[in-house]
Amino acid sequence: MKFFTKEVKIAIVAILAIIVLFIGMHFLKGTPLFSSNDSYYIRFNNISGLTASSPIYANGYRVGVVTSIDFDYSKPDCVVAIVDLDPKLQLHEGTHAEIVSDFLGNTKLELRLGPATGRLLAKGDTIEGIQQLGLMDKAAEMIPQVEQLLPKLDSILVSLQTLVSDPAIAATLHNTEALTTSLNTTARQLNQLTAQLNREVPQMMTKAEGVLDNTQTLTGNLAQIDLQATMQRVDQTLANVQQLTAALNSPHGTAGMLLNDAQLYENITNTMRDVDSLLLDFKQHPRRYINFSVFGKKDK
């Protein structure tokens, strides 16, 4: 009797298919069939989509996988995830885990490693877990605030519509257009003035340089003047003027007597008056003063 009958072959093929299916399911889940990793427990209040076979990362590098999740019915706010981590990974006290979800809803577990100075965690220890809000969760939290803003936005839109329909806005825009035209004209005039200045500035600079040269020459001439000797001459001249003034004011000198003696002034005035009378009489009766005869003197 043959052992490998048709039924035995079918049974062997079925067993191999089951083994391959089992290995394939573990491979697709990312869980090793014969794991040599270290197992730890991570405690969460809410796993928010975390499932078995979810990857675990540390600083962006995959270091393990979630093997299973247990729900404690005696403590509804406690969900424990059993994880297998690479035995080379050293976890220090202060390490915690975060559930991270991307925009597409994919969930992973991110380990935030504690300081290297802390105590090393042993296999089987419990790690605290927290949930990081994803984009959708953040958007859901913002919905109440958005609902509160909607009435205000509606009021703002109504106010904007009222403001836009105001005829004063059109007038203001018209005035703004006129102002812009005026500013353009002013800018064009300024450009022309700038161009003119650019043409005239070199000539002005040349004249300014000439003035500076003359100033330097004048400064050099002033520097060559003997200021001390000049001041001495000025002081001497002032002293002479002072002496002359004193002499004129003194009643003992000739000039002082001429200026200060009233009697002398009256005598001179009388003398001048007599001289004037004499000249006048001489003009009127010259024969009284001149007697000239060609034939000799004749007795009167």
Side-chain angles (χ1 to χ4, degrees), residues 16-36:
L16 291 176
I18 292 172
I19 293 173
V20 171
L21 179 61
F22 180 77
I23 294 173
M25 289 178 64
H26 277 271
F27 176 78
L28 292 176
K29 288 182 179 180
T31 58
L33 184 62
F34 304 102
S35 175
S36 60

Side-chain angles (χ1 to χ4, degrees), residues 67-287:
T67 57
S68 63
I69 297 176
D70 292 336
F71 182 75
D72 190 351
Y73 289 93
S74 62
K75 298 179 181 179
D77 60 345
C78 181
V79 182
V80 178
I82 298 96
V83 299
D84 283 346
L85 300 178
D86 191 340
K88 298 179 182 179
L89 180 64
Q90 294 182 350
L91 300 178
H92 295 269
E93 190 174 13
T95 301
H96 64 277
E98 292 183 1
I99 299 176
V100 180
S101 299
D102 58 16
F103 185 74
L104 297 177
N106 299 321
T107 304
K108 64 179 180 179
L109 200 60
E110 187 76 27
L111 287 177
R112 306 299 181 187
L113 301 178
T117 56
R119 178 182 63 85
L120 283 174
L121 298 179
K123 291 187 294 185
D125 284 349
T126 301
I127 303 172
E128 291 296 327
I130 60 176
Q131 181 183 2
Q132 185 184 64
L133 295 178
L135 293 177
M136 298 303 295
D137 295 328
K138 294 179 180 179
E141 287 186 352
M142 293 176 62
I143 288 176
Q145 300 177 3
V146 173
E147 289 179 350
Q148 294 178 1
L149 288 176
L150 287 178
K152 297 181 180 179
L153 289 176
D154 185 49
S155 176
I156 291 173
L157 290 175
V158 172
S159 299
L160 286 176
Q161 185 177 2
T162 304
L163 181 63
V164 171
S165 59
D166 191 351
I169 298 297
T172 302
L173 293 175
H174 180 72
N175 294 334
T176 303
E177 183 179 2
L179 179 61
T180 303
T181 304
S182 178
L183 288 175
N184 290 333
T185 304
T186 303
R188 185 167 57 254
Q189 293 175 353
L190 285 175
N191 291 332
Q192 295 176 356
L193 179 61
T194 303
Q196 183 178 359
L197 288 176
N198 290 333
R199 292 192 301 269
E200 295 180 357
V201 162
Q203 299 178 359
M204 295 172 62
M205 293 300 296
T206 303
K207 294 180 180 179
E209 290 177 355
V211 172
L212 289 176
D213 293 338
N214 296 334
T215 303
Q216 292 177 354
T217 303
L218 177 61
T219 305
N221 295 334
L222 290 176
Q224 294 177 359
I225 295 175
D226 190 353
L227 185 60
Q228 185 176 2
T230 303
M231 293 303 298
Q232 290 179 354
R233 295 190 185 95
V234 171
D235 292 339
Q236 185 177 359
T237 302
L238 291 175
N240 294 334
V241 172
Q242 187 176 5
Q243 291 178 1
L244 178 60
T245 303
L248 291 175
N249 291 328
S250 176
H252 302 292
T254 304
M257 292 178 65
L258 289 174
L259 292 175
N260 299 318
D261 192 349
Q263 185 65 37
L264 178 61
Y265 173 77
E266 292 179 357
N267 293 335
I268 292 174
T269 303
N270 294 330
T271 302
M272 293 300 296
R273 188 182 300 111
D274 294 339
V275 170
D276 186 57
S277 300
L278 179 61
L279 289 175
L280 182 60
D281 186 65
F282 179 77
K283 289 180 180 180
Q284 294 177 354
H285 308 92
R287 293 183 177 274

